[in-house]
Amino acid sequence: MPVRTPAMTTACLALALLLTMGLAPTRAADAPVTPARPGDFAQAGRPFIAKHCLSCHDDRKKKGGLNLAEFKDETAVLKSRKGFEIVLKMVHAGEMPPEGRPRPTLAEIEAFTAGIRGVFERQDQSGVRDPGHVTLRRLNRTEYANTIRDLVGIDFDPAADFPSDDVGYGFDNIGDVLSLSPLLLERYLAAAETIAQRAIALEPIKPALRPTAAIFIRPRLGRGEFSVREITTGEAAYITHKISEEGNYIFRVKGYGEPKDGQVPKLALQLDDKTVRTVEVAAVRGKAASYEVKLALKPGEVKVGVVLLNPSTGDKPRGVSVQRFELEGPLDTYPAVHRKLMACNKSAPPREQAREILTRFATRAFRRPAAADEVERLLQLVDASLGRGERFEAAIQLAMQAVLVSPKFLFRVELDDRPDSPLPHPIDEYALASRLSYFLWSTMPDEELSALAAKNQLTANLPAQVRRMLQDPRSRALVDNFAMQWLQLRPLKTHAPDAKLFPTFDDKLRAAMLRETELFFEAVLREDRSILDLVDADFTFLNARLARHYGIQDTAGNKVGGKVVTPGKFFREEEFVRVKLQDGERGGLLTQASVLTATSNPTRTSPVKRGRWVLEQILGTPPPPPPPNVPPLDNDPKAQLTGSLRQRMEQHRVDPGCANCHAKLDPMGFGFENYDAIGAFRTKDGGFPVDASGTLPDGQTFQGPADLKKLLKAKKDLFGRCLAEKMLTYALGRGVEYYDKPALDAIGTRLDRNDYRFSALVTGIVTSDPFRLRRGKELAK
Amino acid sequence: MTSARLARISRRTVLRGLGAAVALPWLDAMASRVLSAPAPAKIPNRLAFLYVPNGINMAEWTPKGEGKSFELPYTLQPLAAVKDDLLVLTGLTADKARPHGDGGGDHARALAAFLTGCQPRKTDGADIKAGTSADQVAASRLGHLTRLASLEIGCDRGAMAGNCDSGYSCVYSSTMSWRSATMPLPKEVDPRLVYERLFGNGPDRQRAQRDLRRKSVLDFVRDDAGTLRGKLGAGDQRKLDEYFTAIRDVEQRMARAGQMGEVKKPPMGQPSGIPPAYEEHIRLMCDLLVLAFQADITRVCTFVLANEGSNKPYPFAGVPEGHHDLSHHGNDPKKLAKIREINKFHVKQLAYLVTKLKSVREGDGTLLDHAMVAYGSGNSDGNRHNHDDLPIVVAGKAGGTLATGRHLRYPRETPLNNLWLSLLDRMDASVETLGDATGRLANLQG
């Protein structure tokens, strides 16, 4: 027997599958078995092993390298817990004892499992809990791009040319799977160069001169000559301009006045309607002069202009003639990003300036305070660069490149601050801040998180920080990265339904499908709704295109051609709006076109894929893999398969080799046969009426997708557990193992006590042992 | 569409570049050495591996007749013009793609075992492991002779959804090249980036300066990484070792680029990206592969035409259904007929590559005369998921050491890796054994 498959998850899921789906109908037939005391190995374990296993797995034969005779008591079992989990899994899946050997009854199997599990549970409750170990995680493409965005503040995708990250346990942020190939290192080097060049300018920005001729000065005049703009008393004239670089600018007015009664016209130069300087316009016609003021401007729209201040005399208005406005700048400055990164005490010697700049940069890049010797080594790089005659800015660029290619930036290093502690203990607070921010935001910690970590107060503030972080726009990353991978929707981006069969499918519809799911998940997150809404809900988000696809005509969810009781608003083409749904035909992830399309083949629906998707992604009870050699249909000359897809599949299922698994898969899949391979509603399939009714293995029946969703939504424990497992996997960057069971149990309890709120799930995860703790010396061995 | 048009233009431009302007470096070396050195340089052999997923409709693949008197069956007909340059090899087995107790996952195993001959470890993430692949054996021995030790290309990105095949991480079903048992090499799928890798993206003078700065960065980070040594657990240390390996590789590559002087750029623009049409994409990659061999930028390449288990439809070949879905054909003749079309489509692309290699003159023969293009799948029948009787073709004469134009049948269970050992011998990259190889493949030289 191979003792190689590591994940206990599969084992316990297989168990759950059997318990929830397979056993009920047959149990009555079994002979009654005295229930063993849970956790009693001598009573529940040994006899079963002796009766069913030892004929092959004793210390003589050791078939498959497994000797079960060694397990004489609980201590022995607990020592090989991982291996024993596999034993349980095999027994439960019916893979052991193998075919041809006497089968244990289902009651025997249950008693055996409950017994062993009881042993494990007692250990979980009393012994030292193992928080597990996360392998050094490299930033994946998304995390790299987001981190650069927040670290440097430049707006481009530096990771566009990186090779794709591999996926493990369903996600692309798993430490063990994220490898670093030479190709990727080359790309890191190139990206670091580009980033440093974009962030640090070698020369100040050349100031731009933006002249505005009189004719364009506002408000426009409908009279007079256009080469000058005449301004009279109390009148303002201005221009607006969009500033992209912060810095000093010069606003300049060129014109002349008409001195009257010995009084020179007085002009107020204004920024955003506030006077910043008053000038006397002594210049006269034919000898125009410039009047200017220096302004410190920030990015955004600015309004600069003038107002004539002198009061009018008599009935003749006083005037000033303006030939043009000029805005020049930014003056002698560097881009804002540059100035932020290069900020330092300019009176210090260059090496000290570099120290200040690089200490700050490395601290943020490494997501913990940079050590003095680390910075000193960076300064040596600066020294060498300056020694080659390069500019100070170029030397800083080089040191920044080095930081960006350092393993301390590229990997999330979590060094143990108490390596000699024998027991599990918390990871340090900086590491915790990173775990939080990469989990919820897919990026580096912000200032608030870092500040709390610096004061060692992050752990104490976890729930409040979770609330803040979920409300922050950056938590959109949880939708894009967690949800889309959990739902396995990323392949939809390249999925290609047959153009002849599905002529309405195009890239716009594809994009709309994905957008609906994103917005829907985001609403559950932001509104802190119950996660059960994900299974079935009475609202969604649609644009005109997707609404047409669904046959919905307005935001009140009225069907096209149906009776309208309360009308809603109609859709505008591209814009997504919230829609109230009137019946169970849509609502929840399961009946969204994205999921229905992604679980279909290009030419037809696949009830098996849909069923498997529900079992794996929603209930967390994956079916066993299909047998390698599906018996050919033409073996039976009478098997002329006809009818709808469902009828044909049911004929096929007569084969006993297939029947067992398909009894679990098919109801879930057939329940959604009302939706075609691009998720449009239908009542006929190839001319045959669709039958979307069915019976779950536990005996519950349903008439169609709306019913089925209700039944699934009622399986709160299973769904909550499944989502918690997926999210914990994503949060930790490792597969969930048997020792995570107590943590998952606690998250389940928290969900149950908090109406299954999204925030309860997230808080449960970030306060769990596997998220906060690391192994001590004992377990690390 | 604009992008389609651009892509097409760029491919044609690549074609124009072929044969004309790309220098053959060792021939230049020969010419200059005539005066001083007595021994002319030998034209080296090149080695490429092409992979297609989901097995083959074998009834339409395996030729009738053996030896020289064989006829090309339907699927192989696109290769008619180069029949004399082919070896069709029947009866080879990738034993390590079989479950051996690991249960489902034949797709993942088929690709992972194809060039390694090692049983991939069944894991969804923790402790990924297969074995060193044949191409990387060649790369590690010949890499110092060329700018790039090897080139890994493909048409599908790494899979985007988890659990690609029954408990196997997606690494296995998307990776053909393994630098070591624990280091899968990602493939480049964007022709623009392949071009950049082959020909650089700036003038060489700038590159020298850039490489100087890069070297100082690499020196720094190597020391920096060194300070982490000893502070990490075993699993973490392995990740750090990957990092050190990558640094070493990049440094060596830069050093070689410095020694080998300038690469002459083909007179073509850089491709603009991934062409929307699959066939264009494959052919553009083939063009780049030919250029890389022709200019001796590398001698070793792996090319995954589609990831193992791919459910891509082939409407342009009359098959709107998904490939993987169809491959579980249940012996339905209609489905088998469609699989045959997909198989033939892929073989057409092989024919394109082989013909292209043959069109390049080299010495007194062609580039194909000094090449070995091994093409095939680690699955035989996609329905049965069997890994014996694999569909394998080798094109090219390997400097006259392969007696082509034959169909050879080997005893059942002959390891596929025996073929790889034989090909490695012809690359002057002999190793005693590799994966589950039991020896060399007999009868290749006639």
Side-chain angles (χ1 to χ4, degrees), chain A residues 231-233 260-261 263 308 310-313 316-320:
Chain A
I231 301 162
T232 51
T233 296
K260 272 190 186 151
D261 317 327
Q263 254 195 342
L308 185 62
N310 311 60
S312 56
T313 49
K316 270 209 135 182
R318 194 181 283 274
V320 163

Side-chain angles (χ1 to χ4, degrees), chain B residues 77-147:
Chain B
Q77 272 166 17
L79 291 163
V82 289
K83 189 184 167 199
D84 288 343
D85 294 298
L86 300 181
L87 281 170
V88 184
L89 306 174
T90 297
L92 300 178
T93 297
D95 176 60
K96 297 300 182 192
R98 289 171 171 152
H100 295 292
D102 283 351
D106 287 284
H107 290 286
R109 280 193 301 264
L111 181 51
F114 191 71
L115 289 186
T116 65
C118 293
Q119 182 94 11
R121 179 181 287 156
K122 186 161 194 170
T123 164
D124 202 347
D127 305 329
I128 298 282
K129 189 175 178 207
T132 306
S133 54
D135 61 306
Q136 289 306 304
V137 170
S140 67
R141 283 176 178 60
L142 307 171
H144 63 284
L145 300 171
T146 53
R147 282 178 173 262

Side-chain angles (χ1 to χ4, degrees), chain A residues 508-520:
Chain A
K508 279 198 164 171
L509 184 59
R510 180 205 313 274
M513 289 176 177
L514 288 165
R515 189 90 188 107
E516 179 196 15
T517 304
E518 288 164 6
L519 289 169
F520 177 71

Side-chain angles (χ1 to χ4, degrees), chain A residues 2 4-6 90 133-137 141 160-171 174-187 189-191 193 366 368 373-374 377-378 381 385 388 390 393-395 397-399 401-403 405-408 410-411 413-416 485 488-501 600-604 609 612 616 625-635 737 774, chain B residues 99-106 119-128 148 152 157-164 166 168-172 174-175 179 182-190 192-194 196-197 209-210 212-214 216-221 223-225 227-228 231-233 235-240 242-243 245-250 253-254 311-313 315 320-325 328 330-333 335 382-385:
Chain A
R4 205 181 272 163
T5 329
M90 300 295 265
H133 174 74
V134 183
T135 302
L136 194 63
R137 261 171 299 177
R141 281 168 57 129
D161 291 349
F162 293 178
S164 323
D165 297 311
D166 280 303
V167 171
Y169 304 104
F171 298 99
I174 304 298
D176 264 310
V177 184
L178 288 167
S179 55
L180 203 163
S181 59
L183 174 65
L184 181 57
L185 185 70
E186 266 179 43
R187 299 273 192 257
L189 284 164
E193 280 158 14
F366 297 163
R368 50 141 177 95
D373 62 325
E374 285 172 328
R377 294 197 320 103
L378 284 168
L381 212 52
S385 169
R388 286 194 296 270
E390 291 169 357
E393 286 79 6
Q397 279 182 344
L398 188 66
Q401 276 166 239
V403 169
V405 186
S406 162
K408 295 162 185 170
L410 296 172
F411 290 94
V413 180
E414 297 177 344
L415 289 183
D416 195 343
Q485 292 193 80
Q488 304 194 332
L489 287 181
R490 287 194 172 169
L492 184 57
K493 287 178 190 153
T494 54
H495 183 72
D498 182 25
K500 285 205 188 82
L501 291 171
S600 292
N601 282 318
T603 52
R604 61 171 179 88
K609 279 190 192 170
R612 192 179 123 181
E616 286 180 352
N629 190 6
V630 176
L633 299 176
D634 58 0
N635 273 3
E737 295 286 342
R774 69 186 316 138
Chain B
H100 295 292
D102 283 351
D106 287 284
Q119 182 94 11
R121 179 181 287 156
K122 186 161 194 170
T123 164
D124 202 347
D127 305 329
I128 298 282
L148 293 181
E152 293 77 39
R157 290 193 183 284
M160 291 184 293
N163 193 346
C164 282
S166 310
Y168 284 93
S169 161
C170 297
V171 176
Y172 294 121
S174 63
T175 310
R179 197 180 184 284
T182 55
M183 191 164 183
L185 292 179
K187 51 199 190 305
E188 192 67 83
V189 298
D190 185 339
R192 175 178 66 84
L193 296 173
V194 175
E196 262 179 27
R197 221 166 132 65
Q209 205 175 12
R210 190 191 67 196
L212 188 76
R213 281 169 75 88
R214 277 193 183 180
S216 66
V217 167
L218 289 174
D219 286 342
F220 173 86
V221 295
D223 293 351
D224 207 32
T227 63
L228 293 175
K231 294 182 190 167
L232 299 170
D236 297 343
Q237 189 58 50
R238 209 176 50 236
K239 289 284 150 192
L240 202 61
E242 269 177 26
Y243 182 87
T245 306
I247 289 183
R248 210 164 42 244
D249 272 27
V250 172
R253 192 190 153 197
M254 274 169 20
N311 203 29
K312 199 195 291 286
E321 291 88 352
H323 187 185
H324 175 247
D325 184 30
H328 288 274
N331 290 339
D332 176 346
K335 291 187 178 175
N383 193 47
R384 284 164 57 212
H385 281 176

Side-chain angles (χ1 to χ4, degrees), chain A residues 493-546:
Chain A
K493 287 178 190 153
T494 54
H495 183 72
D498 182 25
K500 285 205 188 82
L501 291 171
F502 304 102
T504 58
F505 187 89
D506 59 14
D507 284 342
K508 279 198 164 171
L509 184 59
R510 180 205 313 274
M513 289 176 177
L514 288 165
R515 189 90 188 107
E516 179 196 15
T517 304
E518 288 164 6
L519 289 169
F520 177 71
F521 189 92
E522 195 173 352
V524 173
L525 182 163
R526 298 251 191 259
E527 296 164 24
D528 199 12
R529 301 178 75 95
S530 161
I531 55 169
L532 302 174
D533 283 358
L534 295 169
V535 180
D536 192 11
D538 62 356
F539 72 96
T540 192
F541 297 85
L542 301 176
N543 67 357
R545 184 66 204 278
L546 195 55

